[in-house]
mmCIF file of all heavy atoms in Angstrom:
data_model
loop_
_atom_site.group_PDB
_atom_site.id
_atom_site.type_symbol
_atom_site.label_atom_id
_atom_site.label_comp_id
_atom_site.label_asym_id
_atom_site.label_seq_id
_atom_site.Cartn_x
_atom_site.Cartn_y
_atom_site.Cartn_z
ATOM 1 N N ILE A 177 7.204 -12.340 -10.465
ATOM 2 C CA ILE A 177 7.458 -13.786 -10.306
ATOM 3 C C ILE A 177 6.647 -14.299 -9.126
ATOM 4 O O ILE A 177 5.906 -15.333 -9.259
ATOM 5 C CB ILE A 177 8.884 -14.017 -10.089
ATOM 6 C CG1 ILE A 177 9.776 -13.749 -11.357
ATOM 7 C CG2 ILE A 177 9.116 -15.496 -9.663
ATOM 8 C CD1 ILE A 177 11.244 -13.773 -11.145
ATOM 9 N N ALA A 178 6.678 -13.654 -8.005
ATOM 10 C CA ALA A 178 5.958 -14.007 -6.823
ATOM 11 C C ALA A 178 4.377 -14.047 -7.003
ATOM 12 O O ALA A 178 3.790 -15.012 -6.560
ATOM 13 C CB ALA A 178 6.230 -13.052 -5.608
ATOM 14 N N ASN A 179 4.001 -13.052 -7.756
ATOM 15 C CA ASN A 179 2.454 -13.112 -7.939
ATOM 16 C C ASN A 179 2.027 -14.041 -9.028
ATOM 17 O O ASN A 179 0.831 -14.563 -8.946
ATOM 18 C CB ASN A 179 2.076 -11.651 -8.285
ATOM 19 C CG ASN A 179 2.051 -10.771 -7.049
ATOM 20 O OD1 ASN A 179 1.070 -10.892 -6.266
ATOM 21 N ND2 ASN A 179 3.028 -10.041 -6.868
ATOM 22 N N LEU A 180 2.845 -14.327 -9.976
ATOM 23 C CA LEU A 180 2.430 -15.431 -10.878
ATOM 24 C C LEU A 180 2.360 -16.777 -10.181
ATOM 25 O O LEU A 180 1.556 -17.576 -10.386
ATOM 26 C CB LEU A 180 3.514 -15.537 -12.021
ATOM 27 C CG LEU A 180 3.407 -14.380 -13.121
ATOM 28 C CD1 LEU A 180 4.606 -14.518 -14.116
ATOM 29 C CD2 LEU A 180 2.090 -14.497 -13.883
ATOM 30 N N ALA A 181 3.371 -16.911 -9.194
ATOM 31 C CA ALA A 181 3.415 -18.080 -8.310
ATOM 32 C C ALA A 181 2.098 -18.170 -7.495
ATOM 33 O O ALA A 181 1.485 -19.221 -7.277
ATOM 34 C CB ALA A 181 4.553 -18.142 -7.466
ATOM 35 N N ASN A 182 1.680 -16.960 -6.985
ATOM 36 C CA ASN A 182 0.501 -16.872 -6.130
ATOM 37 C C ASN A 182 -0.750 -17.378 -6.897
ATOM 38 O O ASN A 182 -1.625 -18.097 -6.377
ATOM 39 C CB ASN A 182 0.244 -15.483 -5.725
ATOM 40 C CG ASN A 182 -1.042 -15.298 -4.906
ATOM 41 O OD1 ASN A 182 -1.045 -15.882 -3.748
ATOM 42 N ND2 ASN A 182 -2.008 -14.643 -5.428
ATOM 43 N N ILE A 183 -0.863 -16.996 -8.188
ATOM 44 C CA ILE A 183 -2.024 -17.438 -8.963
ATOM 45 C C ILE A 183 -1.994 -18.937 -9.136
ATOM 46 O O ILE A 183 -3.007 -19.623 -9.078
ATOM 47 C CB ILE A 183 -2.040 -16.690 -10.318
ATOM 48 C CG1 ILE A 183 -2.290 -15.161 -10.122
ATOM 49 C CG2 ILE A 183 -3.135 -17.254 -11.214
ATOM 50 C CD1 ILE A 183 -2.112 -14.354 -11.339
ATOM 51 N N GLY A 184 -0.813 -19.462 -9.442
ATOM 52 C CA GLY A 184 -0.608 -20.922 -9.582
ATOM 53 C C GLY A 184 -1.013 -21.615 -8.232
ATOM 54 O O GLY A 184 -1.799 -22.709 -8.294
ATOM 55 N N PHE A 185 -0.497 -21.210 -7.134
ATOM 56 C CA PHE A 185 -0.851 -21.777 -5.866
ATOM 57 C C PHE A 185 -2.341 -21.713 -5.611
ATOM 58 O O PHE A 185 -2.906 -22.616 -5.047
ATOM 59 C CB PHE A 185 -0.055 -21.107 -4.737
ATOM 60 C CG PHE A 185 1.449 -21.323 -4.717
ATOM 61 C CD1 PHE A 185 2.380 -20.216 -4.475
ATOM 62 C CD2 PHE A 185 1.928 -22.620 -5.044
ATOM 63 C CE1 PHE A 185 3.651 -20.507 -4.531
ATOM 64 C CE2 PHE A 185 3.314 -22.880 -4.983
ATOM 65 C CZ PHE A 185 4.209 -21.822 -4.782
ATOM 66 N N ASN A 186 -2.923 -20.623 -5.821
ATOM 67 C CA ASN A 186 -4.373 -20.460 -5.701
ATOM 68 C C ASN A 186 -5.119 -21.473 -6.430
ATOM 69 O O ASN A 186 -6.103 -22.143 -5.936
ATOM 70 C CB ASN A 186 -4.874 -19.018 -6.148
ATOM 71 C CG ASN A 186 -4.670 -17.950 -5.062
ATOM 72 O OD1 ASN A 186 -4.220 -18.276 -3.937
ATOM 73 N ND2 ASN A 186 -5.027 -16.750 -5.384
ATOM 74 N N TRP A 187 -4.771 -21.686 -7.692
ATOM 75 C CA TRP A 187 -5.486 -22.601 -8.588
ATOM 76 C C TRP A 187 -5.343 -24.060 -8.013
ATOM 77 O O TRP A 187 -6.317 -24.805 -8.033
ATOM 78 C CB TRP A 187 -4.840 -22.643 -9.924
ATOM 79 C CG TRP A 187 -5.428 -23.508 -10.936
ATOM 80 C CD1 TRP A 187 -6.617 -23.381 -11.694
ATOM 81 C CD2 TRP A 187 -4.977 -24.830 -11.347
ATOM 82 N NE1 TRP A 187 -6.881 -24.386 -12.493
ATOM 83 C CE2 TRP A 187 -5.931 -25.364 -12.300
ATOM 84 C CE3 TRP A 187 -3.803 -25.557 -11.031
ATOM 85 C CZ2 TRP A 187 -5.696 -26.555 -12.900
ATOM 86 C CZ3 TRP A 187 -3.697 -26.754 -11.664
ATOM 87 C CH2 TRP A 187 -4.547 -27.329 -12.555
ATOM 88 N N VAL A 188 -4.183 -24.381 -7.368
ATOM 89 C CA VAL A 188 -4.039 -25.677 -6.777
ATOM 90 C C VAL A 188 -4.811 -25.884 -5.488
ATOM 91 O O VAL A 188 -5.528 -26.825 -5.271
ATOM 92 C CB VAL A 188 -2.488 -25.960 -6.507
ATOM 93 C CG1 VAL A 188 -2.331 -27.221 -5.708
ATOM 94 C CG2 VAL A 188 -1.756 -26.046 -7.865
ATOM 95 N N PHE A 189 -4.692 -24.859 -4.590
ATOM 96 C CA PHE A 189 -5.186 -25.047 -3.228
ATOM 97 C C PHE A 189 -6.633 -24.604 -3.051
ATOM 98 O O PHE A 189 -7.366 -25.188 -2.243
ATOM 99 C CB PHE A 189 -4.336 -24.294 -2.206
ATOM 100 C CG PHE A 189 -2.886 -24.853 -2.158
ATOM 101 C CD1 PHE A 189 -1.855 -24.034 -2.491
ATOM 102 C CD2 PHE A 189 -2.666 -26.120 -1.754
ATOM 103 C CE1 PHE A 189 -0.537 -24.530 -2.467
ATOM 104 C CE2 PHE A 189 -1.397 -26.585 -1.837
ATOM 105 C CZ PHE A 189 -0.315 -25.840 -2.052
ATOM 106 N N ILE A 190 -7.042 -23.594 -3.775
ATOM 107 C CA ILE A 190 -8.521 -23.208 -3.631
ATOM 108 C C ILE A 190 -9.531 -24.306 -4.147
ATOM 109 O O ILE A 190 -10.390 -24.675 -3.544
ATOM 110 C CB ILE A 190 -8.843 -21.893 -4.352
ATOM 111 C CG1 ILE A 190 -8.139 -20.690 -3.660
ATOM 112 C CG2 ILE A 190 -10.376 -21.624 -4.436
ATOM 113 C CD1 ILE A 190 -8.263 -19.373 -4.366
ATOM 114 N N TYR A 191 -9.061 -24.805 -5.351
ATOM 115 C CA TYR A 191 -9.957 -25.750 -6.103
ATOM 116 C C TYR A 191 -9.608 -27.251 -5.807
ATOM 117 O O TYR A 191 -10.350 -28.103 -6.234
ATOM 118 C CB TYR A 191 -9.939 -25.473 -7.553
ATOM 119 C CG TYR A 191 -10.455 -24.087 -7.927
ATOM 120 C CD1 TYR A 191 -9.476 -23.093 -8.265
ATOM 121 C CD2 TYR A 191 -11.757 -23.714 -7.832
ATOM 122 C CE1 TYR A 191 -9.901 -21.802 -8.561
ATOM 123 C CE2 TYR A 191 -12.213 -22.440 -8.136
ATOM 124 C CZ TYR A 191 -11.273 -21.510 -8.538
ATOM 125 O OH TYR A 191 -11.662 -20.197 -8.810
ATOM 126 N N GLY A 192 -8.358 -27.434 -5.153
ATOM 127 C CA GLY A 192 -7.950 -28.814 -4.954
ATOM 128 C C GLY A 192 -7.541 -29.533 -6.147
ATOM 129 O O GLY A 192 -8.046 -30.612 -6.468
ATOM 130 N N ARG A 193 -6.489 -29.000 -6.824
ATOM 131 C CA ARG A 193 -5.907 -29.707 -7.975
ATOM 132 C C ARG A 193 -4.710 -30.602 -7.620
ATOM 133 O O ARG A 193 -4.177 -30.431 -6.519
ATOM 134 C CB ARG A 193 -5.481 -28.653 -8.940
ATOM 135 C CG ARG A 193 -6.451 -27.532 -9.270
ATOM 136 C CD ARG A 193 -7.650 -28.070 -10.064
ATOM 137 N NE ARG A 193 -8.482 -26.912 -10.471
ATOM 138 C CZ ARG A 193 -9.652 -27.037 -11.106
ATOM 139 N NH1 ARG A 193 -10.189 -28.294 -11.357
ATOM 140 N NH2 ARG A 193 -10.433 -26.044 -11.421
ATOM 141 N N TRP A 194 -4.338 -31.403 -8.484
ATOM 142 C CA TRP A 194 -3.076 -32.244 -8.374
ATOM 143 C C TRP A 194 -3.175 -33.135 -7.070
ATOM 144 O O TRP A 194 -2.110 -33.313 -6.449
ATOM 145 C CB TRP A 194 -1.851 -31.408 -8.410
ATOM 146 C CG TRP A 194 -1.560 -30.822 -9.781
ATOM 147 C CD1 TRP A 194 -2.235 -31.083 -10.910
ATOM 148 C CD2 TRP A 194 -0.653 -29.795 -10.066
ATOM 149 N NE1 TRP A 194 -1.756 -30.344 -11.963
ATOM 150 C CE2 TRP A 194 -0.753 -29.477 -11.441
ATOM 151 C CE3 TRP A 194 0.273 -29.095 -9.343
ATOM 152 C CZ2 TRP A 194 0.027 -28.557 -12.151
ATOM 153 C CZ3 TRP A 194 1.144 -28.194 -9.935
ATOM 154 C CH2 TRP A 194 0.934 -27.933 -11.318
ATOM 155 N N GLY A 195 -4.331 -33.542 -6.659
ATOM 156 C CA GLY A 195 -4.386 -34.333 -5.490
ATOM 157 C C GLY A 195 -4.492 -33.701 -4.195
ATOM 158 O O GLY A 195 -4.643 -34.299 -3.099
#
Side-chain angles (χ1 to χ4, degrees):
I177 293 171
N179 283 282
L180 288 173
N182 178 68
I183 293 171
F185 291 137
N186 278 358
W187 182 79
V188 171
F189 296 118
I190 292 175
Y191 302 104
R193 311 292 187 185
W194 292 350

